[in-house]
Amino acid sequence: MHMKKIINSKAAILLAAFSYQTYPLYLNGSLTLPKGYELRYVIRAFADVENPAENVYGFLAESKDRIIMAFRGYAAYPSDLLASYDIFQIPYPYVPNGGKTSRGFTCLYQSARNNLMEQLNKLSSSKKLFITGHNYGGALSVLAALDMAVNSKFKKPFVYTYGSPRIGDPEFAMKFDQKVKNSIRVVNIHDSFPTFPEVRYPPPFTEEGINYQHVKTEYRLSFQLNNTPRNDSINCYFKSLSSLNPNFADILCSENPGFCPDTEVCVPFQRTC
């Protein structure tokens, strides 16, 4: 479903920049927040079910009226890759009749969940909670958003994901869509990450087969840079979204040096071999 009318361009641009900031936090141990925001908590989790390795996966930030929960995407090799390839499903553990979700990402989120919930509940429920993430971070955002909507004091989270893969079966997607009313799944139609996992893995992959379904609501972008890393880059998602509201994007970036991603890389790849 392509729903151009419902996206809040300012929120989409701002949260794309927050999603970008999860990468320098992981890679360098520091991040840049826009004016008025303070870092409240660094999210750490264990990836890889067989040989768990702890890494930084995001953060909580707070302003006078907003709380931002941001998750990063693929950056830690091989643990992130192993988590993503673990597509066997387990029951989503935080909501009755919540369907099934990816074992790799669910176990990863589960390892961070109690501390994250504790830190979030220290903050004021009078503020709006925004949950965001890019590629694999989008999958973690979806897992967290349903949990928060049902089990925290923040019953109406706003969710913006960028290039997120599928994370659960149709029953999970239906439960998410029922409980999380404000969710936008921004997708570049040339990004390969949202095509994974496949919709259906029939037997004999498992005895009953495995089904995956995206959550709502899809908002499509189209930028073809002839290069897989550029087509799925949060930098290039940010650049494409900025065209929806150039004045807001320019002011956001000029007033907050280092907060916005570098978009100079977002040019088509020319070489064929």
Side-chain angles (χ1 to χ4, degrees), residues 102-117:
S102 150
R103 182 173 65 185
F105 284 127
T106 303
C107 290
L108 194 162
Y109 173 69
Q110 197 166 23
S111 71
R113 188 258 187 180
N114 289 346
N115 288 338
L116 178 58
M117 185 73 78

Side-chain angles (χ1 to χ4, degrees), residues 131-164:
I131 303 176
T132 190
H134 166 243
N135 88 26
Y136 294 168
L140 295 173
S141 297
V142 170
L143 292 171
L146 179 55
D147 186 16
M148 299 304 155
V150 173
N151 299 309
S152 81
K153 58 187 180 181
F154 298 90
K155 300 300 183 186
K156 297 180 179 180
F158 294 80
V159 184
Y160 281 75
T161 66
Y162 306 89
S164 174

Side-chain angles (χ1 to χ4, degrees), residues 76-152:
Y77 180 84
S79 56
D80 290 350
L81 199 62
L82 292 169
S84 71
Y85 282 170
D86 187 359
I87 61 169
F88 290 97
Q89 293 177 336
I90 60 175
Y92 180 71
Y94 304 114
V95 178
N97 303 312
K100 295 181 179 180
T101 48
S102 150
R103 182 173 65 185
F105 284 127
T106 303
C107 290
L108 194 162
Y109 173 69
Q110 197 166 23
S111 71
R113 188 258 187 180
N114 289 346
N115 288 338
L116 178 58
M117 185 73 78
E118 180 183 351
Q119 295 297 322
L120 180 66
N121 281 327
K122 292 179 181 178
L123 307 179
S124 172
S125 60
S126 66
K127 300 183 178 185
K128 290 183 178 179
L129 173 62
F130 291 82
I131 303 176
T132 190
H134 166 243
N135 88 26
Y136 294 168
L140 295 173
S141 297
V142 170
L143 292 171
L146 179 55
D147 186 16
M148 299 304 155
V150 173
N151 299 309
S152 81

Side-chain angles (χ1 to χ4, degrees), residues 17 20 30 32 43 48-49 55 74 120 126 151 157 191 207 253:
Y20 161 74
S30 62
T32 301
I43 301 169
D48 182 2
V49 173
N55 281 308
Y74 177 53
L120 180 66
S126 66
N151 299 309
D191 182 354
E207 187 175 338
C253 298

Side-chain angles (χ1 to χ4, degrees), residues 5-26:
K5 295 182 180 179
I6 65 168
I7 197 167
N8 180 319
S9 61
K10 292 182 179 180
I13 293 166
L14 177 69
L15 292 169
F18 270 108
S19 291
Y20 161 74
Q21 286 297 327
T22 61
Y23 293 100
L25 177 62
Y26 166 71

